[in-house]
């Protein structure tokens, strides 16, 4: 058994477009358990910590500005191999080429903005997941 936890964020584009329920439904239908959930407005300090690995990249500042542009929903989901499983549900980073059937592939596309708006974040490893959960659920 590899019971894991992952951090999912519904980004401001997902909240603005009314896709919070759609994201949660896909997670629950896949069989994962939602163990924490909150709507919040992130601040710059929290986002800089969360996206530390991307500091210095050309899309970092647009990414932070985008994540500050409206409320987000932070979710902890649990289940066997949920980290990998949610990344598959989300689809690849670029929503234009993300596979149909995935959240990003079905629900997002390139908006021509400096940062890719792709509805969700999902942790990419057990270490990232625990680090990110502790940032959003202090
Ligand atoms: P991920 O969300 O699929 O794990 P990351 O590489 O961790 O992708 O990047 C974090 C977020 O930064 C992405 O979800 C996307 O919103 C944005 N992003 C990543 N790479 C680019 C890029 O090359 N151009 C613009 N935005 C990007
Ligand atoms: Mg990532």
């Amino acid at each position: 058994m590899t019971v894991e936890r992952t951090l999912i964020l519904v980004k401001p584009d997902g909240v603005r477009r009314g896709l919070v329920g759609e994201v949660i439904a896909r997670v629950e239908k896949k069989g994962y358990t939602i163990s924490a959930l909150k709507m919040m407005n992130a601040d710059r300090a929290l986002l800089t910590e969360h996206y530390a690995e991307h500091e210095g990249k050309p899309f970092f500042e647009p990414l932070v500005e985008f994540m500050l542009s409206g409320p987000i929903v932070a979710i902890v989901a649990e289940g066997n191999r949920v980290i990998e499983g949610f990344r598959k549900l989300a689809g690849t980073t670029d929503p234009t080429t993300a596979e149909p059937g995935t959240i990003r592939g079905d629900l997002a596309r390139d908006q021509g903005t400096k940062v890719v708006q792709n509805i969700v974040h999902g942790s990419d490893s057990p270490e990232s997941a625990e680090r990110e959960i502790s940032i959003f659920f202090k």
Side-chain angles (χ1 to χ4, degrees), residues 6-125:
T6 195
L7 180 79
I8 298 168
L9 300 176
V10 183
K11 297 182 178 183
D13 57 332
V15 175
R16 272 194 286 273
R17 291 178 52 206
L19 296 173
V20 175
E22 172 83 28
V23 171
I24 292 171
R26 289 181 182 221
V27 171
E28 290 188 325
K29 283 183 201 165
K30 181 78 173 173
Y32 300 125
T33 303
I34 306 290
S35 55
L37 185 152
K38 66 175 172 186
M39 179 170 271
M40 63 187 290
N41 289 287
D43 62 28
R44 183 171 288 274
L46 182 136
L47 293 169
T48 301
E49 205 182 345
H50 174 63
Y51 282 124
E53 66 173 308
H54 297 306
E55 243 184 311
K57 295 183 185 170
F59 62 83
F60 179 75
E61 187 55 30
L63 176 59
V64 170
E65 289 296 328
F66 164 55
M67 293 296 290
L68 289 171
S69 70
I72 61 176
V73 175
I75 298 165
V76 178
E78 278 184 26
N80 294 319
R81 298 174 65 198
V82 67
I83 296 169
E84 182 186 7
F86 180 75
R87 298 272 298 181
K88 292 298 279 189
L89 283 185
T92 53
T93 307
D94 178 355
T96 295
T97 55
E99 283 294 313
T102 65
I103 293 167
R104 290 163 168 175
D106 284 349
L107 306 172
R109 64 179 171 84
D110 191 350
Q111 299 286 324
T113 49
K114 283 185 193 152
V115 70
V116 168
Q117 303 193 7
N118 53 12
I119 307 178
V120 287
H121 165 82
S123 308
D124 63 8
S125 70

